[in-house]
Amino acid sequence: MNRTTLSALLGLALAAPAAHAAESPLSYTYVEVHYNNLNIDVVDDLDLSGNGGGINASLAFGESDFYGFAGYETASGEFADVDFDLGRLTGGVGYALPIDERFHVLGEVAYVDYRGEASRDGESEDANVDGYRVSIGLRGLMADNLEGIAKIGYTVVEDSGYTLFDGAVGEMGVRWHIDRAWSAGLSTELGDGINSFKLGLRLQW
C-alpha cells in the first residue's frame, strides 16, 4: 500500500464521524465525559452531596431507531467527619421516534445500580442497591447549533426491603454544538431524593 492510498484511507476514517453527524443532526452514537455534582437523600435528615466525574456512551443500532446507552459516574464528599464515595452505573435501551429531522420523541428503559462507601478513622462500610428506570421525553434542535432535551421518568431502587428511590425523576438539558462532531452540554436531574448537575463534553458521529 503506497503512502497516497494510506493517507486517503486515514482521511476518510477521520472524516467519517463528521460526515455521519451531518446526515443525522441528532446522533445517538457518542461518547461523553462530564463533571457532576450529586445530592442524594439517604434517610431522613441525612443528605449526601459530593462532586466528581463520569463517562457516558450511546450506540445507535444500525438504521433502526433503537439505541443502547451506558454510563458511570462518581461523587465524593464529607458529612459529619465521615468521608463517602458514591457511584452510579446505568445501562439500558431507548427508542427515538422522529417527528421530523429536528425533533424526536424518546422512550427509554434502564437498569441502575448505586454503590456507596463511608469511612471514618480508618474503618469503612459499603452498601449496594439497584433497580430500574423508565422514561419518556423530547429531544430537538432549537437552533442550528443549540439542542434541548427534556425527560420525565419513574425510578425504583431498592434492596432487601430498603428503598433508596421510588418516584418520579425529571431531566432537562441544553447542548451547544461546537461543530458536527463536538458539543458541550449542561443538564440537571431532579426528583424525590435525588438531584444532580452535569457539565460535559461530547464527541458524536
Side-chain angles (χ1 to χ4, degrees):
M1 181 181 294
N2 59 43
R3 292 184 178 180
T4 302
T5 303
L6 180 59
S7 298
L9 290 175
L10 288 174
L12 287 173
L14 292 173
H20 193 278
E23 296 172 0
S24 178
L26 299 176
S27 175
Y28 292 88
T29 298
Y30 60 80
V31 62
E32 174 182 296
V33 293
H34 65 262
Y35 157 84
N36 67 273
N37 175 272
L38 180 66
N39 181 278
I40 297 178
D41 299 336
V42 180
V43 293
D44 292 341
D45 300 323
L46 176 55
D47 297 343
L48 298 183
S49 180
N51 301 312
I55 182 169
N56 297 320
S58 178
L59 177 65
F61 296 152
E63 299 299 322
S64 73
D65 294 320
F66 288 94
Y67 57 95
F69 58 90
Y72 183 72
E73 58 187 349
T74 63
S76 300
E78 183 179 343
F79 180 86
D81 296 326
V82 176
D83 296 321
F84 65 88
D85 295 294
L86 301 174
R88 178 170 69 173
L89 174 68
T90 304
V93 294
Y95 181 78
L97 176 65
I99 299 176
D100 56 32
E101 188 183 50
R102 298 173 65 89
F103 292 95
H104 295 171
V105 175
L106 308 178
E108 296 179 347
V109 179
Y111 164 81
V112 289
D113 180 272
Y114 284 85
R115 298 177 182 271
E117 181 179 358
S119 59
R120 182 179 182 180
D121 298 330
E123 298 184 359
S124 64
E125 293 185 6
D126 55 40
N128 172 226
V129 289
D130 59 5
Y132 67 89
R133 183 188 72 206
V134 294
S135 58
I136 58 173
L138 180 65
R139 180 186 181 197
L141 293 174
M142 299 179 289
D144 289 342
N145 63 345
L146 185 63
E147 174 189 333
I149 186 169
K151 294 190 290 185
I152 183 70
Y154 197 89
T155 300
V156 176
V157 178
E158 59 186 1
D159 183 59
S160 302
Y162 170 69
T163 300
L164 183 61
F165 304 121
D166 186 357
V169 177
E171 298 178 52
M172 296 178 292
V174 292
R175 179 164 299 280
W176 174 53
H177 289 264
I178 303 168
D179 56 28
R180 291 293 187 178
W182 294 95
S183 63
L186 181 66
S187 64
T188 184
E189 180 180 349
L190 301 171
D192 184 16
I194 181 173
N195 63 77
S196 68
F197 165 87
K198 299 177 184 177
L199 178 64
L201 181 65
R202 175 183 296 180
L203 172 63
Q204 66 179 35
W205 61 94

